């Protein structure tokens, strides 16, 4: 008998009335009954990549059929390269061919790419149909599936086309993490550490202390980590659905992180880039006297436990050029979220601010040399 | 000196806080100052088709430059054939190439196609940027520019991909109507008649009595017609932004109208199809005892003044097949908005209902033979 913790529901506020994020071991098997009770769609379009489809997508469609629900499976090639307008078009047409209508529902089963891509299909299909997010990776569970962001990548950058589209339900079953490659687990856990870093120092320390169990996808540790991350993210996005204010705090580590990813031509994985971005932004904050001294060292100590791959050699000047092109830049100037201390973002000048280019370059040069 | 009526502002409620729809002769010239005061974007992306661009798009960009605003003009080939995902992609990429960012603003200057297409660009650009609708056709002024619907067409049907994206401002200057071909004026005015038919019988009669002045784009008559239509539409969409309830009343004439368009392979223009749809749906309502007897005759008497082109020969059975495929259908059954009397929709069974297929086919057969 597998351990089955009682599921926890976190409510996420949104303009459309809000939705529940359910976290619990064994929840996946209750999905057909939850879809029926909470969505009641005419047809369900289950969208998974070709790697997750046999593991979770096909079983779900079979379970839906067994429960008397009409469900169809739509698959695409796994990987960020599928997050395109082209793949979005193909999926949209396939849903229409299958007779999915306004009273249909998209069920996104997979990692962050699936949630973003399938979410954008749901957001734009007949101007928006019901969406259920079923994240099966740490990244998707602790971050991507909550908050309603959907989108695809362009040659100009990631997520440049998309929409905010709140799901009707988020269901995270930590048991599905056992099918996730270990290196992807570490990448996704970085966002959980980020949630601790910006809002809950005790949880941050807890994550560091339980890194080994989390990397092994231990059901109890994973449930605890996912649940607390979802709570933190839900509290932030409930207060600010459209990223005009408080939601900016979620970008801690991401301004520098995105520039590292971009300069490496996405050879550096997102988690690695954000982990490094947090360390660099902590260093910038400490030198500006905004961030409590020693914060960067505490971040580094905990993140070390995730055994992320090292950064490749990157040129500081080249990295800094990508900062101004950041999607969050205003009037061509990059903006940074700075910690006040571990567990708290500094809000003295709003939730993000500009910092001197020279300081950023200096920190980049020192840090990238050290790597 | 051209006559310049005081502009009228109608507030439209939306989840994002709502926006004003301004109607008035000469307003177009105040656009740069209004953009500055009400949007304050970093860059303005003016989007027009190649026919409207020299008439209104280029003058606007020049006026913006004169007022110290950075504005770029983006054009596309006029016509419904441009309302595609491909054209949306091309415009999106062009905005990125021009350095438009999150703090940019799309200004849609033109008819319904421009509003839908440019609106979808704005709705999805970096998950949504500011949008200002500047309708220059009757159709766009009285209908398309208010309510936040955006989208493009697929081979499966019209507007099957899109988003709800409330504009920051709608500005309708009836003077721009003088550049609109007369046949397009008649087509667009059909939606104004529809607004009268569903909510204001006196306005409906007024439109019929002033059809000649309206077709001539007389500034005073046009302002009155646009203003009242905007008020009616604003009241409906403010109460129901996402088309889950009251907003359905705006579909009067459109269930049959869309089927006529589809069966003619869009050879029949939208206005002509909706006018015919209203007459057919009134007839259906009268035979069901829902619609006051004589309503169809009053609709026909007024709409006749628009001198719309006659319908081509269409097969009733073929038309009826398109009804079940309607985007508004539920569980494969078409839904109809029926009038109680001129100026009032029957709401006894919700704002739309199913009607017997045999009755629809009978009315289609009689009416299409008579044409």
């Amino acid at each position: 008998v597998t351990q089955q913790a009682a599921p926890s529901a976190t409510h996420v506020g949104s303009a459309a009335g809000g939705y529940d994020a359910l976290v619990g071991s064994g929840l996946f098997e209750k999905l057909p009954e939850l879809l029926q009770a909470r969505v009641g769609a005419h047809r369900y379009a289950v969208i998974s990549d070709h790697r997750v489809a046999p593991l979770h997508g096909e079983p779900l469609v079979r379970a839906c059929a067994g429960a008397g629900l009409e469900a169809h499976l739509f698959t695409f090639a796994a990987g960020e390269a599928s997050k395109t307008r082209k793949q979005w078009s193909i999926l949209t047409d396939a849903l229409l061919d299958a007779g999915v209508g306004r009273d249909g529902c998209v069920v996104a089963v997979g990692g962050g790419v699936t949630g973003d891509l399938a979410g954008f299909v749901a957001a734009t299909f007949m101007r928006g149909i019901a969406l259920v997010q079923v994240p099966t990776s740490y990244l998707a569970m602790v971050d991507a599936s909550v908050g309603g962001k959907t989108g695809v990548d362009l040659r100009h950058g990631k997520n440049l086309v998309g929409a905010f589209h709140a799901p009707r339900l988020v269901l995270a079953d930590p048991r599905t993490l056992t099918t996730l490659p270990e290196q992807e687990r570490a990448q996704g856990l970085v966002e959980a550490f980020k949630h601790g870093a910006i809002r809950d120092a005790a949880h941050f320390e807890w994550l560091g202390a339980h890194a080994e169990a989390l990397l092994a996808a231990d059901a109890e540790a994973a449930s605890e980590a996912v649940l607390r991350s979802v709570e933190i993210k839900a509290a932030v996005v409930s207060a600010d659905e459209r990223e005009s204010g408080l939601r900016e705090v979620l970008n801690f580590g991401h301004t520098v992180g995105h520039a590292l990813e971009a300069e490496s031509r996405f050879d550096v994985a997102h988690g690695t880039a954000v982990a490094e971005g947090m360390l660099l932004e902590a260093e910038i904050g400490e030198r500006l006297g905004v961030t409590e001294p020693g914060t960067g060292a505490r971040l580094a100590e905990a993140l070390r436990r995730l055994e992320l791959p090292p950064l490749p050699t990157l040129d500081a000047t080249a990295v800094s050029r990508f900062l101004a092109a950041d999607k969050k830049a205003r009037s061509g100037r990059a903006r940074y979220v700075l910690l006040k201390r571990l567990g708290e973002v500094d809000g003295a000048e709003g939730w993000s601010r500009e910092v001197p280019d020279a300081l950023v370059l200096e920190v980049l040069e020192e840090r990238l040399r050290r790597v």
Side-chain angles (χ1 to χ4, degrees), chain A:
Chain A
V1 182
T2 325
Q3 173 214 356
Q4 183 156 338
S8 298
T10 302
H11 189 76
V12 189
S14 96
Y19 51 93
D20 280 338
L22 307 181
V23 180
S25 257
L27 265 186
F28 190 82
E29 282 143 48
K30 296 191 178 142
L31 197 40
E33 120 197 22
L34 284 162
L35 292 175
Q36 200 153 28
R38 299 203 177 207
V39 184
H42 185 228
R43 285 191 177 90
Y44 295 88
V46 176
I47 301 182
S48 287
D49 70 34
H50 78 278
R51 206 179 60 73
V52 170
L55 299 171
H56 307 299
E58 287 165 17
L60 174 59
V61 168
R62 274 196 303 274
C64 282
L69 306 184
E70 186 180 336
H72 301 262
L73 181 65
F74 302 87
T75 64
F76 61 92
E80 184 84 23
S82 286
K83 247 180 80 176
T84 60
R85 291 180 290 207
K86 177 86 187 163
Q87 188 59 58
W88 162 78
S89 295
I90 291 169
L91 286 167
T92 298
D93 291 345
L95 263 62
L96 286 165
D97 287 338
V100 176
R102 273 192 188 184
D103 46 9
C105 172
V106 168
V107 185
V109 180
V113 167
T114 302
D116 285 0
L117 174 62
F120 190 48
V121 171
T124 54
F125 192 83
M126 298 186 179
R127 298 199 190 93
I129 62 172
L131 168 67
V132 171
Q133 292 280 11
V134 184
T136 63
S137 73
Y138 267 126
L139 178 71
M141 286 187 193
V142 305
D143 190 16
S145 65
V146 172
K149 281 190 180 183
T150 74
V152 298
D153 304 332
L154 307 188
R155 68 177 160 78
H156 295 81
K158 286 171 77 169
N159 299 315
L160 286 178
V161 156
F164 285 94
H165 188 60
R168 296 279 280 273
L169 180 71
V170 178
L171 184 146
D173 182 345
R175 279 197 207 163
T176 60
L177 292 167
T178 56
T179 59
L180 190 70
E182 184 160 336
Q183 191 44 53
E184 282 192 41
R185 295 181 201 166
Q187 291 294 326
L189 282 165
V190 171
E191 299 286 352
F193 280 70
K194 182 203 71 183
H195 287 138
I198 60 173
R199 303 275 282 195
D200 186 342
H203 181 61
F204 183 87
E205 302 291 9
W206 182 92
L207 288 166
H210 293 77
E212 199 174 337
L214 291 168
L215 287 172
D218 171 81
E220 201 173 342
S223 288
E224 173 70 18
V226 170
L227 184 60
R228 185 68 192 120
S229 253
V230 166
E231 284 172 353
I232 290 172
K233 182 146 186 196
V236 170
V237 304
S238 297
D240 174 27
E241 193 180 11
R242 298 257 168 174
E243 205 160 25
S244 48
L246 178 64
R247 191 164 177 155
E248 287 189 305
V249 302
L250 299 171
N251 292 325
F252 174 56
H254 282 65
T255 300
V256 172
H258 283 156
L260 294 171
E261 279 183 288
E263 170 56 15
S264 79
R265 294 172 176 268
F266 297 94
D267 180 39
V268 175
H270 185 67
T272 304
V274 170
E276 197 61 41
M278 288 195 280
L279 300 181
L280 279 149
E281 293 178 13
E283 182 66 26
I284 291 167
E286 290 187 34
R287 294 205 193 174
L288 284 169
V290 172
T291 304
E292 188 175 82
T295 303
R298 284 176 73 189
L299 288 172
E301 167 61 19
L303 285 166
R304 197 180 48 72
R305 314 276 187 91
L306 290 179
E307 297 180 13
L308 295 161
L311 279 190
T313 306
L314 292 172
D315 178 65
T317 308
V319 170
S320 72
R321 273 194 215 107
F322 279 95
L323 292 166
D326 193 82
K327 194 160 39 132
K328 301 176 292 297
R330 295 187 203 155
S331 306
R333 298 274 305 157
R335 299 186 69 82
Y336 297 80
V337 174
L338 299 180
L339 295 185
K340 188 168 181 182
R341 60 176 68 87
L342 195 62
E344 187 180 350
V345 171
D346 184 85
E349 300 183 20
W351 298 114
S352 71
R353 65 172 85 197
E354 296 178 11
V355 305
D357 292 338
L359 171 61
V360 174
L361 191 59
E362 182 182 297
V363 172
L364 278 172
E365 275 171 350
E366 287 176 25
R367 175 88 201 165
L368 294 178
R369 199 160 14 195
R370 223 185 326 162
V371 174

